[in-house]
Amino acid sequence: MWQRTFTKIYFGIKKEHIWALWTDVNNWPKWHGDLEYCTLVGRFEVGNYFMLKPKGVGAVKIMLVDIQDHKQFTDCTTFWGAKMYDTHYVEELADGSVKLTNHLVVTGWLKWLWITLVAKKVADTVPSEIEALVSLARSMNEK
């Protein structure tokens, strides 16, 4: 199993705004700079999926496998011989700050291939995507 985690604490954002942006999958390209499109099929519920189209490569089907409302969600991309789980956590801390965490896990007998082709690139973009997400959340505070 391969894992990569990114965590950072932010001030000046609301947990509810982060959750609203995460669950608005069709608008992920607004803060997820490397996407052409992202389309949720059905509602943001376990068992449903979205089609995510990164720039320059084909679209992938990603399943919603765990959702804990306003706390975390996990999606799963199935590759030939491997699976990549991407868990997104949001936690409001006692001082009013918000802790955001992204945890990637790749499993399966061909994980080495998908780590090289996909997972490392995904993990490398997480910090900038979270910064863009936070920026958008801050703009929601002003409204």
Side-chain angles (χ1 to χ4, degrees):
M1 178 174 69
W2 176 92
Q3 302 180 67
R4 181 89 60 91
T5 301
F6 176 83
T7 299
K8 191 168 176 182
I9 295 172
Y10 296 90
F11 289 90
I13 61 171
K14 294 180 181 175
K15 175 181 169 180
E16 294 78 16
H17 290 161
I18 295 296
W19 190 257
L21 291 168
W22 277 346
T23 59
D24 186 10
V25 176
N26 295 341
N27 283 307
W28 283 10
K30 288 182 178 178
W31 56 269
H32 212 294
D34 61 347
L35 296 182
E36 273 185 40
Y37 66 81
C38 197
T39 305
L40 178 63
V41 177
R43 296 170 46 118
F44 193 83
E45 296 174 349
V46 170
N48 287 341
Y49 68 93
F50 54 94
M51 297 301 296
L52 183 139
K53 170 74 170 75
K55 294 175 181 172
V57 296
V60 294
K61 180 179 180 179
I62 303 176
M63 297 294 298
L64 293 167
V65 296
D66 180 56
I67 299 171
Q68 295 178 32
D69 197 38
H70 286 85
K71 294 179 183 177
Q72 69 184 59
F73 76 93
T74 302
D75 58 59
C76 177
T77 307
T78 301
F79 303 108
W80 190 72
K83 290 187 177 188
M84 181 173 72
Y85 297 91
D86 192 358
T87 303
H88 312 259
Y89 301 90
V90 59
E91 178 183 1
E92 190 170 346
L93 303 178
D95 63 1
S97 63
V98 173
K99 179 175 155 183
L100 297 176
T101 301
N102 181 268
H103 183 69
L104 282 168
V105 175
V106 181
T107 63
W109 66 278
L110 274 179
K111 67 180 176 281
W112 61 270
L113 175 65
W114 298 105
I115 291 165
T116 302
L117 293 176
V118 178
K120 285 184 180 178
K121 294 172 187 164
V122 170
D124 289 346
T125 65
V126 166
S128 62
E129 288 165 3
I130 289 181
E131 291 297 327
L133 175 72
V134 166
S135 179
L136 193 53
R138 284 190 175 125
S139 73
M140 294 169 76
N141 286 342
E142 298 167 5
K143 294 180 181 177

